[in-house]
């Protein structure tokens, strides 16, 4: 019987273990949201396979979900297409909440336990002055860089800026990430997001870190196939929103 060592994986169906938190994510292009039945006034991420705006994601998804070697031999659990996204900044989550200072730790735990409802009203998603946390950007375009096995935990598609303007805007986002980290260090005693910024699309998770060792050669083959299909394609974002999560397939934001 396979021992699951990845805290985000529940079983090999795959299904996903609870993992609560919030992050700033780029708003996906196209018709990529629907009303969230678990919490009124919120909408959940829902990229659609047939949507032309999902072409970039769809190529990655098809490669991940159809790779029998990774799935059968390496314990790879591909994520569903509706959940594909690019993170801008990670906030408080089940991984880092226990590093919060003093009495705020209990508040952080209650915030995570109350998701999705607490996303709409909590000090953790507001600034010191009570205004909502926010990160703004102008249009940013990414191109595919490579498929990368992140440790023995996940398989991701690393992204790179498509042009000079996008590179400059990513540099501005890096500064915004530092400012948010500094605010959370001051208020809660934790630096939520790791540095430097490495924009990527998560394709799935390895259930067992020892089995993931066997994936190295296959990742190189995936890279070759995906690179050929991605030639000339650009992933374009216009805005950023704060999203909550309750597992690795369910991401939601306040309804705009």
């Amino acid at each position: 019987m396979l021992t699951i060592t990845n805290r985000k994986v529940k079983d090999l169906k795959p299904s996903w273990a609870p993992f609560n938190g919030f992050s700033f994510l780029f708003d996906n292009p196209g018709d990529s949201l629907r009303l969230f039945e678990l919490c009124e006034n919120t909408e959940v991420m829902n990229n659609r396979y047939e949507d032309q705006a999902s072409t970039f994601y769809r190529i990655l998804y098809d490669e991940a979900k159809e790779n029998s070697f990774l799935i059968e031999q390496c314990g790879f659990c591909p994520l569903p297409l509706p959940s594909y996204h690019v993170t801008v900044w990670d906030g408080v989550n089940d991984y880092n909440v226990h590093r919060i200072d003093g009495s705020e730790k209990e508040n952080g735990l209650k915030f995570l336990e109350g998701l999705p409802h607490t996303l709409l009203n909590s000090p953790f998603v507001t600034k010191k002055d009570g205004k909502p946390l926010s990160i703004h950007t102008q249009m940013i375009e990414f191109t595919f860089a490579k498929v990368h096995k992140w440790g023995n935990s996940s398989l991701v598609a690393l992204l790179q800026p498509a042009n000079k303007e996008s590179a400059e805007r990513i540099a501005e986002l890096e500064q915004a990430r530092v400012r948010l980290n500094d605010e959370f260090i001051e208020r809660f005693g934790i630096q939520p997001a790791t540095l430097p910024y490495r924009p990527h699309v998560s394709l799935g998770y390895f259930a067992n870190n020892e089995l993931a060792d066997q994936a190295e050669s296959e990742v190189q083959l995936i890279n070759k196939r995906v690179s050929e299909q991605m030639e000339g394609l650009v992933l374009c974002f216009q805005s950023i929103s704060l999203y909550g999560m309750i597992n690795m397939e369910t991401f939601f934001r306040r309804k705009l």
Side-chain angles (χ1 to χ4, degrees), residues 57-208:
Y57 286 157
R58 186 167 61 241
I59 291 170
L60 297 171
Y61 170 71
D62 284 343
E63 184 63 47
K65 77 177 181 66
E66 294 173 4
N67 195 299
S68 58
F69 179 81
L70 289 184
I71 293 169
E72 296 171 11
Q73 303 299 320
C74 304
F76 178 65
C77 300
L79 284 162
L81 177 65
S83 71
Y84 273 35
H85 64 273
V86 178
T87 300
V88 178
W89 178 82
D90 287 311
V92 177
N93 54 50
D94 283 343
Y95 177 75
N96 61 30
V97 66
H98 295 286
R99 300 204 300 267
I100 292 178
D101 283 345
S103 62
E104 289 295 339
K105 181 189 297 184
E106 184 65 26
N107 293 331
L109 291 167
K110 290 179 179 178
F111 164 69
L112 295 180
E113 291 170 0
L115 289 170
H117 304 283
T118 46
L119 186 73
L120 302 177
N121 183 23
S122 168
F124 289 97
V125 295
T126 59
K127 300 177 183 178
K128 289 183 290 186
D129 61 7
K131 295 180 180 179
L133 288 178
S134 61
I135 301 181
H136 301 288
T137 189
Q138 295 176 284
M139 183 177 71
I140 292 181
E141 295 179 315
F142 290 104
T143 56
F144 171 77
K146 66 175 182 177
V147 173
H148 175 68
K149 183 161 70 73
W150 217 309
N152 277 351
S153 175
S154 62
L155 189 70
V156 306
L158 296 178
L159 306 177
Q160 59 193 6
N163 47 53
K164 179 182 177 182
E165 292 77 16
S166 294
E168 291 171 348
R169 288 163 188 164
I170 291 171
E172 293 171 357
L173 289 182
E174 290 176 331
Q175 295 174 11
R177 282 164 48 87
V178 170
R179 289 193 295 271
L180 278 172
N181 273 350
D182 288 346
E183 177 166 343
F184 271 67
I185 291 170
E186 177 186 345
R187 294 173 62 193
F188 307 116
I190 60 168
Q191 174 182 301
T194 57
L195 302 173
Y197 181 41
R198 299 185 72 187
H200 63 275
V201 181
S202 294
L203 309 182
Y205 292 87
F206 293 97
N208 179 279

Side-chain angles (χ1 to χ4, degrees), residues 227-246:
S227 295
E228 292 170 353
Q229 297 177 74
M230 286 291 193
E231 188 171 352
L233 285 181
V234 172
L235 183 59
C236 179
F237 299 112
Q238 304 278 358
S239 59
I240 297 167
S241 295
L242 188 144
Y243 287 78
M245 72 192 85
I246 53 176

